[in-house]
Amino acid sequence: MALFSSLSKSRALPILAFAGVMLSALTAQAASIKNVRIWPAPDHTRLVFDLDKPTEHKVFSLSNPNRLVIDLDGMKSEYDIDTLPVKDTPISNIRTAVKNGQDLRVVLDLKRAVQPRSFLLKPNKQYGDRLVIDLVYQGAEAEAQKTAPKVVAKTETQSNSRTNSPKATPSTSTTGEKRDIIIAIDAGHGGEDPGAIGPNRVREKTVVLAIAKKVEQLLRNERGFKPVLIRTGDYYIGLRDRTERARKYRADLLISIHADAYRDHRPMGSSVFALSQRGATSETARWLADSENSADLIGGVDGALSLDDKDRVLAEVLLDLTMTATLSDSLKVGQSVLGSIGNVNKLHKKEVEQAAFMVLKSPDIPSILIETGFISNPQEAKNLQNTAYQRKMAHSIVQGIQAHFKKNPPPDSLLAYEKKRKEAENNAYVVSRGDTLSAIAYRQKVSVDKIRKANNLRSDTLFVGQRLHIPRS
Ligand SMILES: [Zn+2]
């Protein structure tokens, strides 16, 4: 998260207004490209052209061979576009040419077909006018999912608060009743969005990705857990898209990792956020407004709830129950993680805070946002860049997650199975020399018959070392 003082905003205003005057005076002249950045991601590559003013553009595809053509009217480039690094992108080569003596044509030679998408971005605190060209394609992961065997959905029978969840299609990691708990790890910001910026231009997007990757590595080695990274490199993912990805992975928890910033360099410490009640309520309304979302979400109850008007009240109640259960889980896991982080860093706030952050708005996936520290504080900025500190922070996050799920495992998870087995073991009595069934029953304050039934005993003869399950009430 990045907070900005109203002071710096009001200072920036006259400068912006002045720039606006300059811009209108220049509109008759040709625009120019000042810089170009490229952000490869697993499922798309983003090209960003820094422009000195917004301009008309056309984008179209050609096949045999695959090419993408970008036409920019009245444009010259001050940047050597042909030398842009194209490693890890579907682009094999970039060429530019001047058309009609004043227009610029950029041709991308492609290794595969892509779906182009383009839009202009208005100036922000970091950049001026930008033209964004996205080359969208199926990521390696999507290709793998296509070939993965389909698992037939089984009826959910647990009378658990989360049966309302839309998890109709079990993930391929499901093994009978002992599945892994799926943790979606989101590193905040990325690509064009650097997040907060600290001393020596240390960027939030960089340190949080490093911590997220360490959380993933640590969790991968923990029995009963399956971590998935939402963002794996330096590229941007929309906030709704991040929650969508967590849903696709059928995550049991989404953690979004950030670093705080403040205009004053003194504040420091970690904090954890869950969704606010107000954010939850408005999100319920949004999901209900989008009937497709609602059908998906409520479909988990009996698989075929229509959203006619008569079902509207029911839908609202069900959605509200899901959202309330999710928020309660978020607060619980948040408190566990906050307590654990308290062992490695000062806490900015002792309680889980609540805010209407977009990335926390999954109605059915408990979600927390972790502010690992203040990147605006020189000491914390230094810590957050330090590999050993990043590992310590990641370890404390993992411990908090584990502690929560050991206490509250999802019903069909391996951890739930092991918890049940342990409880059963604790209720076992080992027969020793001289024991009789009636003496054991008397001492354990249960009837002989209950012990017989609980252990399927055919006779009352016991042997030394025999384990008897003692039923409790
Ligand atoms: Zn952030």
Side-chain angles (χ1 to χ4, degrees):
M1 289 297 118
L3 293 174
F4 299 96
S5 70
S6 52
L7 185 71
S8 65
K9 253 183 208 157
S10 61
R11 255 190 209 148
L13 265 177
I15 301 164
L16 279 180
F18 176 68
V21 173
M22 292 291 289
L23 198 71
S24 54
L26 283 167
T27 39
Q29 290 176 22
S32 57
I33 296 169
K34 297 289 183 187
N35 191 21
V36 185
R37 288 176 298 280
I38 190 162
W39 306 102
D43 58 0
H44 73 274
T45 290
R46 172 162 288 187
L47 276 160
V48 183
F49 296 82
D50 281 334
L51 309 174
D52 60 355
K53 61 182 178 188
T55 186
E56 291 285 312
H57 71 280
K58 265 201 299 283
V59 176
F60 57 94
S61 303
L62 297 170
S63 52
N64 293 323
N66 288 316
R67 280 153 296 163
L68 191 77
V69 180
I70 306 158
D71 275 343
L72 299 147
D73 293 346
M75 180 71 71
K76 57 184 181 358
S77 184
E78 294 172 17
Y79 180 88
D80 197 358
I81 301 174
D82 311 37
T83 63
L84 204 64
V86 293
K87 195 175 164 278
D88 300 326
T89 77
I91 304 166
S92 55
N93 187 36
I94 303 181
R95 296 172 279 139
T96 54
V98 177
K99 270 195 338 169
N100 311 325
Q102 55 173 14
D103 303 334
L104 183 69
R105 168 166 283 184
V106 181
V107 180
L108 310 179
D109 293 320
L110 300 169
K111 291 179 256 185
R112 60 193 289 188
V114 300
Q115 277 189 325
R117 177 172 71 190
S118 70
F119 52 93
L120 288 167
L121 281 177
K122 293 214 164 70
N124 66 5
K125 61 179 160 41
Q126 204 189 6
Y127 297 114
D129 285 294
R130 284 164 292 167
L131 168 64
V132 178
I133 312 280
D134 279 345
L135 315 178
V136 183
Y137 38 87
Q138 290 261 296
E141 206 162 288
E143 296 286 344
Q145 271 173 6
K146 251 198 268 172
T147 53
K150 285 212 173 78
V151 178
V152 179
K154 66 177 194 312
T155 322
E156 291 190 39
T157 49
Q158 306 92 359
S159 59
N160 168 277
S161 63
R162 292 196 56 211
T163 35
N164 296 352
S165 74
K167 295 175 178 178
T169 337
S171 79
T172 44
S173 73
T174 305
T175 48
E177 292 295 299
K178 294 173 230 169
R179 68 173 181 87
D180 286 338
I181 296 170
I182 299 163
I183 311 292
I185 306 155
D186 171 48
H189 313 278
E192 283 286 288
D193 172 15
I197 296 173
N200 301 319
R201 307 216 37 87
V202 47
R203 286 170 296 187
E204 179 185 355
K205 67 170 182 179
T206 314
V207 297
V208 297
L209 181 62
I211 295 170
K213 283 184 170 173
K214 288 179 174 64
V215 170
E216 195 265 346
Q217 281 163 9
L218 288 168
L219 266 178
R220 214 191 301 149
N221 295 324
E222 293 300 332
R223 251 168 69 76
F225 286 94
K226 188 188 166 199
V228 286
L229 279 170
I230 299 288
R231 172 163 85 81
T232 55
D234 190 10
Y235 51 87
Y236 186 74
I237 304 172
L239 296 174
R240 286 268 177 223
D241 199 9
R242 293 176 198 238
T243 61
E244 277 308 309
R245 283 169 198 232
R247 286 172 67 76
K248 266 186 206 138
Y249 286 123
R250 307 184 68 249
D252 293 283
L253 172 69
L254 169 71
I255 62 166
S256 188
I257 302 178
H258 288 253
D260 234 326
Y262 198 61
R263 61 177 180 271
D264 183 330
H265 62 82
R266 282 168 300 185
M268 61 169 300
S270 310
S271 33
V272 172
F273 286 85
L275 187 61
S276 61
Q277 189 55 55
R278 207 163 151 200
T281 307
S282 68
E283 190 62 7
T284 305
R286 195 189 74 90
W287 275 74
L288 278 170
D290 183 344
S291 61
E292 217 171 298
N293 272 347
S294 308
D296 178 20
L297 192 70
I298 293 157
V301 178
D302 72 355
L305 245 183
S306 74
L307 270 180
D308 298 339
D309 275 346
K310 66 173 158 49
D311 292 329
R312 186 111 192 137
V313 175
L314 176 61
E316 204 173 317
V317 169
L318 289 175
L319 195 53
D320 209 45
L321 281 174
T322 306
M323 205 88 185
T324 305
T326 302
L327 185 51
S328 150
D329 282 350
S330 302
L331 288 167
K332 262 192 240 164
V333 67
Q335 200 58 50
S336 181
V337 169
L338 189 69
S340 182
I341 293 178
N343 297 327
V344 299
N345 195 25
K346 190 189 149 208
L347 296 182
H348 184 60
K349 291 273 164 63
K350 300 265 180 257
E351 299 293 324
V352 175
E353 293 168 83
Q354 289 183 265
F357 292 135
M358 183 76 85
V359 76
L360 299 179
K361 286 189 172 181
S362 297
D364 53 340
I365 304 170
S367 307
I368 56 171
L369 187 145
I370 302 166
E371 297 281 11
T372 48
F374 278 81
I375 206 168
S376 47
N377 177 292
Q379 184 54 49
E380 284 216 289
K382 220 170 164 183
N383 287 347
L384 289 168
Q385 285 172 280
N386 178 286
T387 311
Y389 183 85
Q390 289 171 350
R391 196 170 295 125
K392 245 170 46 179
M393 178 58 68
H395 188 247
S396 72
I397 292 170
V398 167
Q399 280 188 319
I401 293 170
Q402 275 185 306
H404 170 77
F405 281 110
K406 277 199 173 138
K407 260 186 268 166
N408 315 283
D412 51 350
S413 64
L414 176 69
L415 257 60
Y417 170 81
E418 288 184 342
K419 188 174 175 234
K420 244 182 256 166
R421 203 181 53 187
K422 213 169 189 178
E423 280 167 1
E425 268 168 23
N426 289 342
N427 283 343
Y429 178 85
V430 183
V431 177
S432 46
R433 199 171 297 276
D435 272 342
T436 63
L437 200 55
S438 57
I440 294 168
Y442 178 76
R443 285 202 304 269
Q444 300 289 332
K445 298 187 176 70
V446 288
S447 71
V448 169
D449 201 43
K450 270 191 177 163
I451 298 183
R452 274 197 205 110
K453 272 194 185 133
N455 295 278
N456 292 321
L457 297 180
R458 296 214 175 132
S459 83
D460 288 358
T461 313
L462 302 175
F463 56 89
V464 175
Q466 185 176 359
R467 296 178 78 86
L468 289 178
H469 175 62
I470 308 297
R472 299 289 171 203
S473 62

